[in-house]
Amino acid sequence: MRIALGSDHGGFELKQNVMAHLEKKQIEFKDFGCYSSDSVDYPDLAVPVANAVLSGDYDLGILICGTGIGISISANKIRGIRCALCSDTFSAHATREHNDANILAMGGRVVGTGVALDIVDAFLGAAFEGGRHQRRIEKMMALENL
Ligand code: RB5
């Protein structure tokens, strides 16, 4: 499994902890920035991670900003992206199972590291269930053509 990661300055510290966690679990990843706690604009980080996932080079993405809101809204503007902002583990696995979310977003100023790492594990450990959810995803993705 290959994971594309990105954050703005508000998510920088949590992203460092997520990367250490992935490293420990021997999960391959690439950090698409930012690379310091200097202020940056979250849409600039959502785009490379979204493109990395859409290219097929990475299986899933993780995006982090202060709240997780700006970076998830930005990612969801990109055709083909289903980015789920999660602050709990139930949502994290349910969004893979039901929504086939391809990017997880979190708020670095919202969730503590312990919860965030559990959210990451729940998201990466779950799989899309298909069936009735497939029809719903097709309807959801058709909204991109409105
Ligand atoms: C940056 O200060 C902050 O606005 C950003 O990280 C995020 O919370 C936006 O949604």
Side-chain angles (χ1 to χ4, degrees):
M1 185 184 281
R2 284 166 61 82
I3 307 300
L5 282 146
S7 77
D8 75 354
H9 53 290
F12 178 72
E13 194 183 320
L14 178 56
K15 186 181 62 181
Q16 300 303 113
N17 294 331
V18 169
M19 290 194 293
H21 182 67
L22 295 179
E23 229 163 66
K24 214 181 290 174
K25 299 192 84 165
Q26 295 184 313
I27 294 173
E28 249 189 274
F29 64 86
K30 180 173 172 180
D31 180 11
F32 286 84
C34 61
Y35 304 111
S36 80
S37 52
D38 294 348
S39 183
V40 289
D41 301 333
Y42 49 79
D44 296 340
L45 291 310
V47 171
V49 169
N51 285 336
V53 171
L54 292 172
S55 73
D57 290 346
Y58 293 83
D59 300 292
L60 293 168
I62 298 177
L63 286 171
I64 309 173
C65 69
T67 58
I69 296 172
I71 210 158
S72 60
I73 293 175
S74 303
N76 279 317
K77 297 280 181 198
I78 299 166
R79 191 172 285 270
I81 290 300
R82 291 178 299 281
C83 178
L85 171 57
C86 296
S87 300
D88 67 276
T89 55
F90 177 80
S91 301
H93 68 77
T95 197
R96 287 285 304 123
E97 293 158 358
H98 291 197
N99 315 127
D100 199 14
N102 44 19
I103 300 184
L104 165 69
M106 295 187 290
R109 297 172 184 155
V110 178
V111 288
T113 300
V115 172
L117 300 184
D118 283 354
I119 288 171
V120 167
D121 288 347
F123 185 79
L124 301 186
F128 180 50
E129 287 176 357
R132 67 188 188 282
H133 303 299
Q134 183 59 44
R135 182 182 68 245
R136 293 164 186 167
I137 284 167
E138 280 160 22
K139 287 187 180 183
M140 175 168 57
M141 298 320 279
L143 299 176
E144 290 181 337
N145 302 319
L146 289 182

